[in-house]
């Protein structure tokens, strides 16, 4: 396979994301919904599927599922639970209660930071299964294992399955979709969205077609994607695999494939012919779920501002494009209020975004007034970029007044004449480099900036030095 | 035999000890249980201890409740904490539920004394109690004949005086049909009136727990105890149930009662004659009785055998050997499932699981399950039309009196026809009661059935009580 292959094919991806809802109790019983407890301690007759037990729907789980739907611009509709029938030891009843052709949340979309929009087909409710550990033999899979252990603590935990339209065209976009979805789920309090704990799990449907083609190719469904990184790697692998087949004149087989993280490849689990017939039918132990208008309105009113809307507001206030990467980063870090406050206090929007995105990604958040103060000093030219970052670091570490910190560090703006003299000295000392700069080799500017910095003990402003160099070149 | 109403009254008043009551019933068990096999498990020691506790409470001035000291038998598909609950199936071998069914908790709380778990067709699938993995129950009126089913053990236990009252479950007639064949009263309440929590499911949208009793008043007493909202059952009617005991003397003056023409077709003349006699008696008591057509009821049997088996195929999937009950080892998990289910289920259960699986399969769903649901809707509409003009309907319970053991086991379809008159009420979710109304050839009991619209149990009980009085 050649590196050019992928560019000759268009990747078409739809994602199914299973999200565990952050309820106190399970979907159909009062058992604790908690990760990491002693196995089989959060169980009862209902979630163990004991004979005679019956499910009772958790109202809070419905509310969280409605929040998910509203955040994805879905239409929240009267819905029905079905039974999805198949045998597996981690499923106590040997059927899963899920929603089928009448899901709670219908349609919708997700706007990504890069400005693209991915359609949402549906977001339906269902119960999680238990967790099986296969011991010995078959590499962690049931066939060939010596024995298997099942933990039913997870059985009956409420899930929302969010199914996207096949609108995703690159692995980067797929990763951005999942990251944005996680941000939304956390923002609305629906889930902790921790992939490492399995509270967010992804299946990817992947196919290829020639750019410009309308019809979709045959897809493969990839399972066992346990991180955003795995998702990206698996999609890249799958594109190469499918392209290889298509270019060799072999068809892509509709099948379910398993991503092996260690080997970095997917392998066939079962083909379409071997696919289960789930024999869906309406769950007779539950009644139809039709949230009232009042309930829906209450849930809608209580929704927080979503990341996409926060990005729009922040970009507008900072005077930059909504797709600016720093905007997404600041919102992701939850620093938009800080930046908005700084801008309101007179700091430059661009500068505030960049400093927040790059200097405040870790550690404490500084006092908003002090943050604005540093930015103003930098914007006025009283601090160089390097000095401003140093003051900011001190603010984050110990707090204090930016003016006092700058003074203590000796960061007083140099007299313009001192810098100009240092620039002229540097040019005179390096005629060869100067000739290259004059000839258009812009990167040589860094050499001169370094010399001037050394001569001024780091107090010169790099930008001012570059500007002076350009002046000298024009004045020749 | 003393009625449950009298037992409870006497025990509460301290006029008779619960221990004496239970000993009387245990003596009856000792006398005929070996012959009849009404029970999968007799709880003699527990019953004596329970009775002593009731007596202690009465002596202490407490009121043990409306069923004080009344011996009650429980169909073996009702979960009992710490006590085996088998559904008369090998597959639940060794399983002891960690909880009581809601109805079990309610009868215990009302002061009843549980005397045992009764035999049944395996997972309530059958009409003769011959499909029990533990051998058939026999009819107390003629031990060469079946008691009906699937709650045959409960019907026989009450008929033989082993228990004053019993609980059964009715999915397609499993209370009313054996009640008729054993000459006792049997009630299928409105779907949702009685909690299903702890009733091991056969067909969830049809199953309903109900009483067996020696009289209409006793049946009302037990129904009043078990009826009412249960938050653990999402299909439970969310409001208090009216008392049926309170209306028994209200009579039928002015009630409009229709005799369902379609349900008299193909019925033995001696059974049809008792339905006519019942119609005449109710008419004489002041009701306006006439024949009425409810045409869609003829669709019921076929629709039922699609819907009930479809639900059963899913409900019974959990018996796979992984968690409880029987496990037969296999080389891998699929082989274990196969071996366990092959050894654990009887022939009729396997037949219905296969039927139901087929009915839900891709490509067949609409032709079978979808079509049956549409038929169910037609049946409900047909009843709605009838109940616009009538307060109650009258019909046979069974086409014949009790048949000999083995007479129908070779032909499942013939067996299924035993429920042709009872199934429509299950599909509609309506209540119906089987009241003994005379005897046929060989002294075998005949029951007549009173059907009522949803939640009209009180009207139904008024007519049942009037019918019972007409025999006296």
């Amino acid at each position: 396979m050649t590196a050019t292959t992928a560019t000759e094919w268009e990747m078409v991806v739809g994602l199914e994301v299973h999200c565990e809802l952050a309820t106190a109790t399970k979907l159909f019983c009062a058992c604790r919904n908690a990760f990491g407890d002693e196995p089989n301690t959060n169980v009862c007759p209902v979630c163990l599927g004991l004979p005679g037990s019956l499910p009772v729907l958790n109202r809070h789980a419905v509310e969280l599922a409605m929040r998910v739907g509203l955040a994805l611009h879905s239409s929240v509709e009267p819905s029905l639970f079905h039974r999805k029938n198949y045998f597996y030891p981690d499923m106590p009843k040997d059927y899963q209660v899920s929603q089928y052709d009448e899901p709670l949340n219908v349609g919708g979309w997700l706007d990504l930071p890069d400005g693209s929009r991915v359609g949402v087909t549906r977001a339906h409710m269902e119960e999680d299964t238990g967790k099986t550990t296969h011991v010995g033999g078959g590499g962690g899979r049931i066939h060939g294992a010596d024995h298997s252990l099942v933990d039913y603590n997870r059985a009956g935990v409420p899930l929302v399955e969010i199914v996207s339209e096949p609108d995703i065209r690159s692995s980067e976009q797929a990763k951005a979709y999942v990251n944005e979805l996680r941000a939304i789920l956390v923002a609305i309090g629906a889930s902790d969205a921790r992939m490492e704990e399995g509270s967010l799990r992804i299946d990817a449907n992947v196919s290829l077609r020639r750019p410009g083609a309308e019809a979709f190719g045959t897809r493969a469904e990839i399972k066992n994607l346990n991180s955003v990184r795995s998702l990206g790697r698996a999609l890249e692998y799958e594109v190469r695999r499918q392209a290889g087949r298509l270019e060799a004149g072999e068809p892509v087989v509709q099948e379910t494939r398993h991503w092996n993280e260690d080997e970095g490849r997917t392998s066939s689990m079962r083909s379409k012919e071997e696919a289960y017939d789930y024999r869906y039918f309406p769950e007779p132990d539950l009644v139809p779920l039709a949230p009232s208008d009042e309930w829906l309105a209450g849930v809608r009113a209580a929704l927080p501002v979503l990341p996409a809307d926060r990005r729009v507001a922040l970009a507008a206030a900072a005077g930059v494009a909504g797709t600016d990467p720093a905007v997404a980063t600041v919102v992701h870090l939850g620093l938009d209020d800080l930046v908005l406050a700084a801008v309101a206090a007179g700091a430059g929007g661009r500068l505030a975004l960049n400093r927040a995105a790059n200097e405040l990604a870790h550690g404490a958040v500084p006092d908003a007034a002090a943050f604005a103060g540093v930015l103003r000093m930098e914007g006025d030219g009283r601090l160089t970029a390097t000095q401003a970052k140093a003051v900011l670091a001190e603010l984050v570490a110990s707090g204090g007044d930016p003016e006092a910190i700058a003074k203590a560090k000796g960061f007083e703006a140099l007299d313009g004449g001192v810098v100009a003299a240092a620039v002229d000295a540097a040019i005179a000392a390096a005629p060869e480099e100067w000739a290259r700069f004059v000839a258009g080799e812009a990167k040589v500017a860094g050499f001169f900036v370094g010399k001037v910095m050394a001569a001024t003990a780091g107090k010169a402003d790099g930008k001012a030095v570059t500007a002076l160099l350009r002046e000298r070149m024009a004045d020749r | 035999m003393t009625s449950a109403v009298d037992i409870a009254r006497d025990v509460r008043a301290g006029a008779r000890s619960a221990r004496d009551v239970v000993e009387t019933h245990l003596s009856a068990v000792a006398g005929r249980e070996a012959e009849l096999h009404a029970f999968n498990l007799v709880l003699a020691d527990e019953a004596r201890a329970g009775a002593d506790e009731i007596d202690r409470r009465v002596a202490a001035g407490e009121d043990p409740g409306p069923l004080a000291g009344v011996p009650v038998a429980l169909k073996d598909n009702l979960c009992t904490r710490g006590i085996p609950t088998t559904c008369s199936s090998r597959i639940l071998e060794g399983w002891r539920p960690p909880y009581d069914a809601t109805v079990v908790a309610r009868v215990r709380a009302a002061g009843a004394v549980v005397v045992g778990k009764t035999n049944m067709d395996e997972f309530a699938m059958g009409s003769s109690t011959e499909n029990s993995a533990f051998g058939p129950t026999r009819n107390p009126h003629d031990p060469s004949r079946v008691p009906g089913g699937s709650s045959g053990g409960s019907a026989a236990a009450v008929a033989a005086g082993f228990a004053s009252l019993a609980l059964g479950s009715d999915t397609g007639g499993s209370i009313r049909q054996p009640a008729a064949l054993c000459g006792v009263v049997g009630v299928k309440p409105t779907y949702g009136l009685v909690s299903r929590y702890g009733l091991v499911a056969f067909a969830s949208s049809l199953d309903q727990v109900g009483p067996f009793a020696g009289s209409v008043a006793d049946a009302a007493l037990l129904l009043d105890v078990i009826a009412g909202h249960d938050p653990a059952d999402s299909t439970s009617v969310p409001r208090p149930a009216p008392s049926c005991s309170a209306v028994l003397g209200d009579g039928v003056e002015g009630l409009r009662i229709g005799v369902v023409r379609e349900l008299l077709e193909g019925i033995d003349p001696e059974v049809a004659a008792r339905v006519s006699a019942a119609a005449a008696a109710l008419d004489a008591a002041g009701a306006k009785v006439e024949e009425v057509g409810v045409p869609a009821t003829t669709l019921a049997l076929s629709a039922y055998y699609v819907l009930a088996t479809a639900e059963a195929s899913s409900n019974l999937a959990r018996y796979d050997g992984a968690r409880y009950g029987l496990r037969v080892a296999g080389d891998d998990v699929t082989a274990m499932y196969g071996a366990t289910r092959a050894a654990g289920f009887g022939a009729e259960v396997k037949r219905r699981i296969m039927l139901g699986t087929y009915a839900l399969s891709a490509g067949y769903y609409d032709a079978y399950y979808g079509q049956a649901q549409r038929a169910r809707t037609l049946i409900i509409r047909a009843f709605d039309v009838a109940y616009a003009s009538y307060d109650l309907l009258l019909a046979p319970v069974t086409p014949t009196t009790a048949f000999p053991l083995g007479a129908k086991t070779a032909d499942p379809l013939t067996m299924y026809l035993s429920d042709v008159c009872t199934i429509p009420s299950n599909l509609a979710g309506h209540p119906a009661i089987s009241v003994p109304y005379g005897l046929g050839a060989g002294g075998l009991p005949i029951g007549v059935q009173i059907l009522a619209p949803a939640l009209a149990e009180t009207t139904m009980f008024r007519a049942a009580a009037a019918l019972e009085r007409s025999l006296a």
Side-chain angles (χ1 to χ4, degrees):
Chain A
M1 270 171 275
T2 66
T4 58
T5 298
T7 62
E8 292 163 14
W9 295 95
E10 181 179 53
M11 177 196 295
V12 176
V13 175
L15 296 179
E16 295 169 12
V17 177
H18 288 83
C19 160
E20 285 183 352
L21 295 175
T23 52
T25 58
K26 294 185 180 182
L27 185 55
F28 298 124
C29 63
C31 288
R32 239 163 73 82
N33 169 15
F35 178 82
D37 285 1
E38 183 74 17
N40 295 312
T41 52
N42 299 327
V43 292
C44 75
V46 175
C47 58
L48 286 177
L50 294 188
S53 65
L54 294 171
V56 176
L57 185 59
N58 178 339
R59 185 181 166 90
H60 189 56
V62 176
E63 183 156 329
L64 294 185
M66 287 160 67
R67 281 191 211 168
V68 172
L70 292 173
L72 298 175
H73 313 93
S74 302
S75 166
V76 179
E77 300 194 351
S79 64
L80 209 56
F81 286 94
H82 273 65
R83 290 187 185 175
K84 180 180 182 179
N85 295 285
Y86 64 100
F87 283 82
Y88 204 77
D90 65 15
M91 208 163 51
K93 303 180 292 292
D94 286 312
Y95 60 78
Q96 180 189 26
V97 179
S98 179
Q99 296 191 308
Y100 179 52
D101 54 357
E102 296 180 50
L104 181 67
N105 302 303
V106 179
W109 70 83
L110 194 56
D111 284 331
L112 303 187
D114 68 2
S116 67
R117 172 172 287 188
V118 176
V120 169
T121 312
R122 55 189 280 157
H124 68 258
M125 301 186 72
E126 62 185 27
E127 58 177 340
D128 209 344
T129 62
K131 200 168 173 12
T132 310
T133 308
H134 302 297
V135 183
R141 294 170 76 173
I142 191 167
H143 292 288
D146 294 334
H147 62 276
S148 302
L149 300 170
V150 189
D151 175 9
Y152 292 106
N153 281 355
R154 202 181 69 180
V157 163
L159 293 177
V160 165
E161 180 178 345
I162 301 149
V163 182
S164 87
E165 291 287 306
D167 288 349
I168 296 167
R169 295 289 175 269
S170 70
S171 59
E172 283 309 311
Q173 194 186 11
K175 291 195 285 186
Y177 171 86
V178 173
N179 283 330
E180 181 67 10
L181 190 54
R182 288 175 67 184
I184 289 173
L185 293 169
V186 171
I188 63 177
S191 176
D192 60 24
R194 287 183 192 138
M195 293 194 74
E196 65 279 13
E197 292 182 3
S199 51
L200 201 79
R201 306 193 288 272
I202 309 168
D203 299 334
N205 287 292
V206 192
S207 65
L208 296 187
R209 65 180 175 187
R210 291 292 184 188
E214 275 192 31
F216 293 134
T218 304
R219 69 175 187 273
E221 181 177 5
I222 307 173
K223 290 190 175 287
N224 195 43
L225 303 171
N226 296 322
S227 67
V228 174
R229 184 170 171 270
S230 298
L231 170 66
R233 289 182 68 204
L235 291 180
E236 293 297 337
Y237 171 85
E238 191 60 19
V239 166
R240 290 197 303 275
R241 185 189 72 84
Q242 291 188 16
R245 287 190 67 91
L246 292 169
E247 283 165 14
E250 297 164 0
V252 171
V253 180
Q254 186 173 338
E255 61 185 350
T256 305
R257 298 181 69 84
H258 180 92
W259 168 250
N260 186 314
E261 180 70 28
D262 296 334
E263 296 173 16
R265 60 188 209 92
T266 63
S267 56
S268 182
M269 284 172 75
R270 56 179 179 265
S271 72
K272 186 187 178 188
E273 287 71 30
E274 297 166 305
Y276 298 119
D277 176 359
Y278 292 120
R279 292 177 283 114
Y280 281 99
F281 74 103
E283 162 61 294
D285 288 331
L286 291 168
V287 294
L289 169 62
S292 68
D293 291 345
E294 294 74 25
W295 190 12
L296 188 57
V299 174
R300 191 189 298 274
L303 274 188
V305 181
L306 298 174
D309 298 328
R310 285 163 56 195
R311 286 196 300 269
V312 169
L314 180 63
V320 302
T323 53
D324 192 291
V327 169
T329 305
V330 166
V331 168
H332 177 71
L333 294 171
L335 296 173
D336 34 341
D337 284 346
L338 182 73
V339 172
L340 290 171
V343 170
R350 173 83 268 161
L351 191 58
L353 280 175
N354 287 352
R355 290 293 169 264
N358 301 326
E359 309 306 319
L360 302 178
H362 310 287
V365 176
D367 172 71
F371 179 61
V374 179
L375 296 176
R376 277 197 311 271
M377 290 167 74
E378 186 182 353
D380 295 347
R382 293 161 57 205
L383 291 177
T384 68
T386 311
Q387 289 169 340
K389 289 175 189 175
V391 174
L392 205 45
E394 178 72 22
L395 265 181
V396 169
S398 321
D401 170 51
E403 299 277 0
I405 294 170
K407 191 162 190 183
K409 287 185 180 293
F411 293 163
E412 283 151 54
L414 287 177
D415 181 85
V418 176
V419 179
V423 168
D424 291 336
I427 291 172
E432 270 180 42
E433 284 78 3
W434 180 244
R436 281 164 56 200
F437 182 73
V438 168
E441 207 175 323
K443 66 181 182 191
V444 185
F447 167 83
F448 290 105
V449 171
K451 292 289 177 196
V452 173
M453 286 296 177
T456 59
K459 290 180 183 177
D461 180 354
K463 279 184 195 162
V465 173
T466 309
L468 276 172
L469 288 170
R470 293 229 173 81
E471 267 177 43
R472 294 289 183 273
M473 186 165 75
D475 292 346
R476 256 177 321 122
Chain B
M1 215 68 208
T2 322
S3 77
V5 170
D6 290 345
I7 290 170
R9 185 196 58 223
D10 291 350
V11 169
R12 287 168 111 173
R16 188 180 178 191
S17 76
R19 181 61 184 261
D20 175 55
V21 173
V22 85
E23 292 298 350
T24 303
H25 288 85
L26 289 175
S27 298
V29 173
R32 285 193 83 187
E33 169 60 8
E35 175 194 18
L36 300 180
H37 186 214
F39 288 105
N40 286 339
L41 181 65
V42 176
L43 296 163
D45 293 344
E46 293 86 341
R48 289 189 176 101
D52 289 348
E53 172 63 12
I54 297 295
D55 289 333
R56 189 198 60 73
R57 291 174 60 191
V58 172
E62 297 171 30
D63 179 5
L67 295 179
V70 178
V72 175
L74 304 174
K75 189 176 183 179
D76 207 12
N77 59 356
L78 293 169
C79 287
T80 42
R81 195 165 103 176
I83 296 168
T85 299
T86 68
C87 296
S88 288
S89 181
R90 297 267 176 226
I91 208 148
L92 277 169
E93 197 174 272
W95 183 60
R96 288 165 188 257
Y99 72 106
D100 272 338
T102 297
V103 289
V104 174
R106 286 189 182 177
V107 297
R108 286 192 201 279
V113 173
V114 173
V115 293
K117 304 295 294 285
T118 60
N119 196 14
M120 55 188 282
D121 286 300
E122 184 177 5
F123 284 103
M125 297 177 184
S127 307
S128 68
T129 316
E130 292 168 290
N131 294 334
S132 168
F134 310 127
T137 296
R138 290 167 183 272
N139 193 316
H141 294 269
D142 178 352
S144 73
R145 293 176 185 267
V146 303
S150 66
S151 313
S154 286
V158 172
F162 295 170
S164 181
L165 299 171
L167 286 176
S169 64
D170 190 315
T171 306
S174 283
I175 290 174
R176 291 160 287 160
Q177 187 256 15
L181 301 193
C182 290
V184 298
V185 175
V187 183
K188 200 290 276 188
T190 300
Y191 185 81
L193 185 75
V194 178
S195 170
R196 291 184 297 118
Y197 192 80
L199 165 68
V200 180
F202 158 20
S204 312
S205 77
L206 302 161
D207 296 341
Q208 189 64 189
V209 178
F212 285 95
S215 69
V216 172
D218 282 4
L221 175 69
L222 181 51
L223 182 60
D224 285 349
V225 166
I226 61 173
H229 182 60
D230 177 11
D233 176 357
S234 307
T235 62
S236 167
V237 176
R239 55 184 145 111
S243 167
C244 292
S245 299
V247 301
L248 298 175
D250 288 2
V252 294
E253 188 70 44
L255 288 185
R256 300 159 303 164
I257 301 176
V259 182
V260 184
R261 188 179 303 129
E262 290 78 6
L263 298 184
L264 286 166
E265 285 166 15
I267 302 301
D268 256 20
E270 64 171 1
V271 175
R274 295 313 298 161
V275 176
S276 299
L282 289 167
D283 199 76
K288 183 171 175 288
V289 185
E290 60 192 29
E291 205 171 275
V292 58
V294 191
T297 51
T298 55
L299 303 172
L301 193 74
S302 351
Y304 172 84
Y305 275 96
V306 172
L307 298 175
T309 58
E311 291 182 21
S313 72
S314 174
N315 283 331
L316 273 63
R318 70 190 67 187
Y319 309 111
D320 60 9
R323 289 162 296 274
Y324 47 79
L326 181 72
R327 175 188 289 183
V328 179
D331 287 344
D332 61 19
V333 69
T334 308
M336 178 190 82
Y337 288 159
T340 299
R341 291 165 70 82
F345 289 137
E348 181 62 25
V349 171
K350 287 175 186 162
R351 179 180 297 119
R352 296 200 193 189
I353 290 173
M354 305 259 301
L355 273 173
T357 302
Y358 183 79
L360 290 174
S361 294
Y364 298 97
Y365 179 91
D366 198 60
Y368 291 98
Y369 186 86
Q371 187 75 348
Q373 284 290 28
R374 287 187 283 275
R376 187 174 190 175
T377 303
L378 291 179
I379 290 161
I380 293 169
R381 285 192 193 143
F383 273 121
D384 287 347
V385 169
Y387 285 126
S389 307
Y390 298 91
D391 299 298
L392 299 168
L393 297 174
L394 196 65
V397 185
T398 62
T400 66
T401 56
F403 46 89
L405 266 79
K408 300 187 179 182
T409 44
D411 183 358
L413 279 180
T414 311
M415 186 72 90
Y416 294 172
L417 283 168
S418 306
D419 294 330
V420 70
C421 299
T422 47
I423 282 173
S425 299
N426 297 86
L427 289 173
H430 294 167
I433 186 169
S434 172
V435 182
Y437 207 67
L439 304 174
L444 294 171
I446 293 173
V448 300
Q449 188 179 198
I450 302 168
L451 296 78
L455 298 171
E457 270 82 1
T458 49
T459 316
M460 182 177 86
F461 266 94
R462 281 168 58 194
L467 198 58
E468 190 178 58
R469 281 195 296 273
S470 75
L471 275 181

